[in-house]
Amino acid sequence: PVPATGGGTAAVADGSARTIEAALGGAPDRGTGDALTTAARDVLRGVVASAADPIAGGRHKVFGNAELNVIPTTSTIASHLPRAVGIGFAIERLRRLSVSGPVPGPGRSGVPTRTDSGPRSPWPTDAIVVCSFGDASVNHASAVAAFNTAGWCDHAGLRIPVLFVCEDNGLGISVRSPDGWVAATLGSKPGVRYFSADGCDLVQTYEVAAQAASWVRRHRRPAVLHLSTVRLMGHAGADAELAYRSTADIARDVARDPVVATARLLVEAGIASPEELIARYDEIGWQVRKVAEEVLGEAKLSVAADIMAPLAPRRPVRVSRAVADAGFRAAGPGNAARAAAFGGKLPEQAGPLTLAQTINAALADGLLDHPDMTIFGQDVAVKGGVYGVTKGLRERYGVARVFDTLLDETSVLGLGLGAGLTGMLPVPEIQYLAYLHNAEDQLRGEAATMQFFSQGAFRNPMVVRVPGLAYQEGFGGHFHNDNSVAVLRDIPGLVLAVPARADDAAPMLRSCLASAAVDGSVCVFLEPIALYHTRDLAVEGDDGWLAEYAGPGAWASSHVPIGRARTYGVGSAEDVTIITFGNGVRMSLRAAAGLAEEGVGTRVVDLRWLAPLPVADIFREASATGRVLVVDETRRSGGVGEGIVAALVDAGYVGSVRRVASVDSFVPLGPAAGHMLVSEEAITQGARTLLAR
């Protein structure tokens, strides 16, 4: 985000000395030393992985600066564009939700400050977003998604103050962009204003860039600035461009060198002589060389704990306190507002609730306690979600806080990333787990890396709700019964919650919201679809899977810390330990009841958290019986069970272990699914086999 500069800059277009000097920001011999040295040192420290690098601290050679609001990007091309759109969206949304202006923002490190007036933006009300990329990136799916979302929002009347800047040198490493393709592509984006300039002409670039930025700032709408430029030398150090470019082609680029072209303008305008410019060039070169030699010897990161420190800070005491404070507010000062929000029908007075009803109530309480919280995704607002989980929230809290988005998972997560960086608490929904795989890099490469590559200076807190897992009958096969979670468990620092029961769902969701707000955590709240509306446990009509909703006074005592499991004792609970999660909890409890009739005592451990795994609880409960049956509804290869067994081995467990897992296959449609997934019968037989050893 780029704050306003004040009155703007006027420049005549006749190439006079005044125009050139204005473009340069002053005559060429003014105030360069300290600023140049500092800038060079910051960049070069990143190149050599110095621990003193001010943005990533030696973790990666990213470019960024927290004080200047330059957000670091990763090496994946175009993956930062959806976030840029999300920041623009959030800036405008905050203008309408509350007061705004520069304040210590929750997008920065530290605990966010609660205000009763609503969320506040860390940037001025007229801030805009500038996002740069190369010409080859226009073809990337993430870029296409970002342009489409910006145009879609503009067409719908939503303001997105984003200036996309394309630096077009005609090459994607060795692959040429077809002549005219980039201009045709960028110039035809619906809802995105097109500006272009010769990027090798300093004066023209300055004038057109000023026009583009001014247009975006004034109209609060998206635009693209297309700059044609050159690439001098290869794409990277190991790239020998002579392998794919002719010497004549390279010579043409050298002739357009913008540094030389600018020097020529300065000489023609009488601002400096050739000798002065050459001397200046050499002087700067030696300054940079001197800085480079200095930073080469700087210390590198050498301790794993130091490297990981900003990855995913965990402050469980503060999270617990935040949950307790939320309960105090809801029961005390916010009691009347809460009663009004629920229409006088508080969920704790409604009797036993299903999993879906409990999540709905917890989301409503979350919206009430977190004025910066928003819920969005496909069909979550007007329809209330495919399964009714968000039903009524739009009517209670308004379209500014609960709204529908276009159908694109990359853009949904991009909006969440931008909203979190801007100081909001986004709760996006991905309609089905299978659809998340279209956009995984927004979580892996963008969301989870933000604190890591900025040393906590930037963060994008979010809680992503995802209906998923299998056992949903009469609906869709694999794409609506997806059991692929390995990619989520593999993302460093990401929190993966899987509530199986109603009485766990609300406390776990509150923990995720509090962790996002306090620690900037990226959380995925994976909701088992097949258990959404399940009522019974043992026999039809027993309502054994329902639970009362805990009122605010009990939120502190019922708090579920991240990474803590839950154990159920069935019978003597001394013979076998079943470790499971999600749908496996209900099946295992049913199987355990049958085993109890045979005189077998069982401990059923509901992991609740798949990342981080509750390793201490796993080891303790496994050691209590010495026999462990891992019930894993994900696949045998790459499934959760592998992590559980590995955790037991690493912890020194010496008892017996057996696994029951789903087959390495996609989930088929109809009755065929029963032959591929873990069943209650398979759990019972697995326990018997374990006991017979």
Side-chain angles (χ1 to χ4, degrees), residues 180-200:
W181 169 251
V182 177
T185 298
L186 296 178
S188 62
K189 299 296 183 187
V192 181
R193 180 73 174 267
Y194 180 75
F195 296 85
S196 66
D198 180 358
C200 294

Side-chain angles (χ1 to χ4, degrees), residues 11-21 201 203-204 207 265 268-269:
V12 296
D14 59 1
S16 68
R18 179 182 170 209
T19 303
I20 298 169
E21 187 169 336
D201 184 332
V203 175
Q204 184 186 118
E207 291 176 342
L265 282 174
E268 292 173 352

Side-chain angles (χ1 to χ4, degrees), residues 32-73:
T32 59
D34 292 342
L36 171 65
T37 302
T38 299
R41 180 172 284 108
D42 286 354
V43 173
L44 291 172
R45 278 173 165 165
V47 172
V48 301
S50 166
D53 169 29
I55 186 66
R59 292 168 183 83
H60 195 37
K61 54 181 186 294
V62 300
F63 182 78
N65 187 296
E67 293 182 0
L68 299 178
N69 298 314
V70 180
I71 299 164
T73 57

